């Protein structure tokens, strides 16, 4: 087991049981991302950092003709995800595997060489080599595929005291908002000749982006 995987397992060994109940109050924009995915029938959808499986379950219910996949570095979270997916009766439509966001091989894990949709939902702020994770995700897109991202924003238009308190609290969970995300995405869009749409959400509390191949 890698050091990163072991660290995530330690963090989520207890938290995974209450994760969804607590995160719904501050992981804003996740359902908006799912709505914007809109995969075509038969398309494959991959979540990088799938956690408890919450997003994959909602997406699979919304798009019954698509195929869904999820990876996570934490086996603890994957255990919870598998249980949730089985309880939802979606184990035949959602496949999971353990892997690092920057280096996993989808052909080895899933027999898939690429995906129509790939998404990160509040995971880049927890992945130290987050830029490498985005770069790797871009290599997984099929022709006309899309990479969707939602995560914490810079909170620039929110009260300074709120921003300071939020960030101090997030550090307790090893979460670091990526203030430079927009600039990094612009450079990657140019370098990879893909289209970028990026918008702040809720006064900059969160940020949303779509890169289309």
């Amino acid at each position: 087991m890698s050091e990163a995987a072991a660290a995530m397992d330690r963090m989520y060994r207890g938290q995974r049981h209450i994760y969804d109940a607590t995160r719904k109050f501050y992981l804003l924009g996740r359902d908006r991302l799912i709505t914007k995915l809109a995969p075509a029938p038969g398309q494959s959808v991959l979540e990088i950092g799938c956690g408890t499986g919450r997003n994959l379950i909602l997406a699979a219910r919304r798009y019954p003709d698509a195929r869904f996949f999820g990876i996570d570095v934490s086996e603890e979270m994957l255990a919870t995800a598998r249980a949730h997916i089985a309880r939802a009766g979606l184990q035949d439509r959602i496949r999971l595997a353990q892997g690092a966001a920057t280096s996993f091989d989808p052909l080895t894990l899933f027999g898939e060489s690429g995906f129509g949709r790939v998404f990160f939902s509040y995971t880049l702020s927890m992945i130290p080599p987050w830029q490498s994770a985005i770069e790797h995700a871009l290599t997984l897109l099929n022709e006309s595929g899309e990479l969707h991202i939602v995560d914490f924003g810079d909170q620039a238009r929110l009260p300074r005291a709120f921003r300071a308190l939020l960030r101090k609290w997030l550090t307790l969970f090893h979460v670091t908002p990526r203030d430079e995300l927009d600039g990094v995405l612009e450079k990657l869009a140019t370098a990879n000749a893909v289209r970028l749409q990026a918008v702040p959400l809720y006064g900059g509390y969160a940020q949303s982006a779509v890169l289309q191949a």
Side-chain angles (χ1 to χ4, degrees):
M1 179 185 293
S2 71
E3 184 177 341
M8 289 298 100
D9 279 350
R10 287 193 297 271
M11 181 187 304
Y12 289 120
R13 187 162 288 119
Q15 285 191 46
R16 64 192 177 99
H17 301 293
I18 60 170
Y19 186 93
D20 290 336
T22 56
R23 267 57 174 185
K24 67 180 180 180
F25 298 109
Y26 64 89
L27 299 187
L28 308 180
R30 294 182 296 172
D31 293 348
R32 178 183 182 275
L33 180 151
I34 291 170
T35 298
K36 292 181 70 66
L37 284 175
Q43 269 194 322
S44 54
V45 180
L46 169 71
E47 181 176 15
I48 300 177
C50 63
T52 64
R54 180 260 188 196
N55 296 325
L56 287 171
I57 290 170
L58 291 180
R61 287 171 172 165
R62 186 178 183 92
Y63 307 109
D65 296 322
R67 298 178 298 120
F68 292 89
F69 303 85
I71 70 140
D72 203 286
V73 74
S74 169
E75 282 290 359
E76 293 285 342
M77 288 297 253
L78 287 171
T80 295
R82 292 187 185 102
H84 288 177
I85 289 166
R87 193 176 304 125
L90 294 168
Q91 61 269 40
D92 294 333
R93 295 190 49 226
I94 303 174
R95 294 176 59 192
L96 304 177
Q98 193 273 342
T102 58
S103 59
F104 71 94
D105 179 5
L107 194 59
T108 299
L109 295 179
F110 302 119
E112 299 280 330
S113 58
F115 303 88
R117 300 287 187 271
V118 178
F119 69 98
F120 293 97
S121 174
Y122 285 93
T123 48
L124 292 176
S125 53
M126 296 194 69
I127 299 173
W130 62 275
Q131 298 186 34
S132 296
I134 298 173
E135 292 169 359
H136 184 51
L138 286 171
T139 69
L140 305 178
L141 294 179
N142 292 331
E143 184 177 356
S144 299
E146 296 176 0
L147 172 60
H148 292 245
I149 296 169
V150 67
D151 214 309
F152 291 104
D154 59 14
Q155 298 96 43
R157 286 179 285 173
L158 297 176
R160 184 174 299 177
F162 174 83
R163 182 178 188 270
L165 183 62
L166 173 65
R167 292 189 172 225
K168 184 176 182 179
W169 182 69
L170 290 175
T171 60
L172 300 176
F173 302 96
H174 306 282
V175 173
T176 304
R178 308 305 182 186
D179 293 341
E180 62 272 45
L181 178 60
D182 284 349
V184 169
L185 292 180
E186 288 176 2
K187 291 179 181 179
L188 287 175
T190 299
N192 292 275
V194 298
R195 290 186 292 173
L196 169 65
Q197 294 179 328
V199 295
L201 303 176
Y202 317 111
Y205 177 90
Q207 51 191 340
S208 170
V210 179
L211 291 137
Q212 183 176 31

